[in-house]
Amino acid sequence: MFKVALVVGSIRQHSINFVLARALEKLAGPRIAFQGADIARLPHYNDDLWCAPPESVRVFKSLIESSDAVLFVTPEFNRSIPGILKNAIDWGSRPWGKNSWAGKPVAVVGASSGGIGTAVAQSHLRSILPILDCILLGQPEVYLQFRSELFDDEFNIPDDQTRSFLEGFLAGFCRLIEASRTGVHGRSPPAA
Ligand SMILES: Cc1cc2nc3c(=O)[nH]c(=O)nc-3n(C[C@H](O)[C@H](O)[C@H](O)COP(=O)(O)O)c2cc1C
């Protein structure tokens, strides 16, 4: 079982991205243990706080560092990622020399009410990932235009085509995580 940090870029109660995350969690079953990151508690990024880092920051960085991989589930806000998600990414990247994202296999998905299903937000997020030194899952890309009938109240995916597409995404993500363990990406495998 892989331990995957789940970073959802929305903190609203009825977030469609949270629903997508829960549906992926259910579909993954025993293959992945998702650990949700609490990005709502992080303060606005401030270098001055490193002299006594807030507990929320310590917990967040420790969650990322102890995970085998990271799944970002992002909304699209004005053709980019929400500020709260960028804030979390920045906290994870510092202090200098202690980048929690380094070497992590990462996948990006997102749902929006709009027709392009977070494609522009994901493109922005993918352009940030190289400086974080992540190993990015290239394909399949998951751009979901949310419709309420895509998921039922228990986070099942009734539509066969959607379920099979998301299953393919999860299979690809698991392959990437497995490959990162063997060092095929030109990095040393993580310490046991
Ligand atoms: C400030 C703001 C900007 C938005 N900009 C976009 C956008 O650029 N593209 C898009 O498809 N939807 C946009 N939306 C609509 C979101 O896709 C929609 O609110 C979605 O439900 C947000 O995700 P969440 O439900 O996970 O919070 C925007 C919503 C807000 C609040």
Side-chain angles (χ1 to χ4, degrees):
M1 180 183 268
F2 299 120
K3 191 174 159 190
V4 173
L6 179 64
V7 185
V8 181
S10 174
I11 57 170
R12 76 185 186 95
Q13 197 180 0
H14 298 293
S15 161
I16 58 178
N17 284 279
F18 185 73
V19 171
L20 171 59
R22 292 297 305 274
L24 286 170
E25 181 177 23
K26 190 155 194 186
L27 191 60
R31 287 173 290 175
I32 298 179
F34 284 104
Q35 323 271 327
D38 188 0
I39 65 171
R41 286 179 184 276
L42 296 170
H44 289 158
Y45 186 86
N46 181 348
D47 248 355
D48 295 344
L49 300 184
W50 286 118
C51 57
E55 196 195 350
S56 59
V57 171
R58 285 190 277 111
V59 168
F60 178 69
K61 284 182 69 70
S62 154
L63 176 78
I64 304 302
E65 286 163 22
S66 64
S67 299
D68 298 315
V70 178
L71 176 63
F72 287 109
V73 186
T74 186
E76 181 166 289
F77 276 12
N78 296 316
R79 298 287 182 259
S80 189
I81 60 173
I84 192 166
L85 178 56
K86 182 61 165 55
N87 187 55
I89 289 170
D90 292 340
W91 274 117
S93 71
R94 286 295 194 268
W96 180 253
K98 292 188 176 161
N99 170 19
S100 304
W101 309 107
K104 295 288 171 194
V106 163
V108 178
V109 301
S112 79
S113 48
I116 55 172
T118 73
V120 184
Q122 289 193 41
S123 172
H124 279 196
L125 180 50
R126 288 194 175 90
S127 75
I128 294 169
L129 296 177
I131 197 169
L132 302 179
D133 201 17
C134 296
I135 304 167
L136 174 66
L137 179 70
Q139 295 292 334
E141 295 157 293
V142 178
Y143 306 125
L144 207 71
Q145 182 177 23
F146 190 86
R147 288 176 285 111
S148 57
E149 64 270 22
L150 282 181
F151 307 103
D152 69 19
D153 291 346
E154 291 171 340
F155 307 107
N156 298 303
I157 307 165
D159 179 58
D160 289 344
Q161 213 178 341
T162 307
R163 192 171 59 253
S164 142
F165 173 62
L166 292 176
E167 174 53 43
F169 161 76
L170 287 169
F173 191 27
C174 287
R175 279 196 299 275
L176 178 77
I177 302 169
E178 189 62 50
S180 75
R181 290 184 161 181
T182 60
V184 294
H185 296 281
R187 300 162 190 272
S188 304

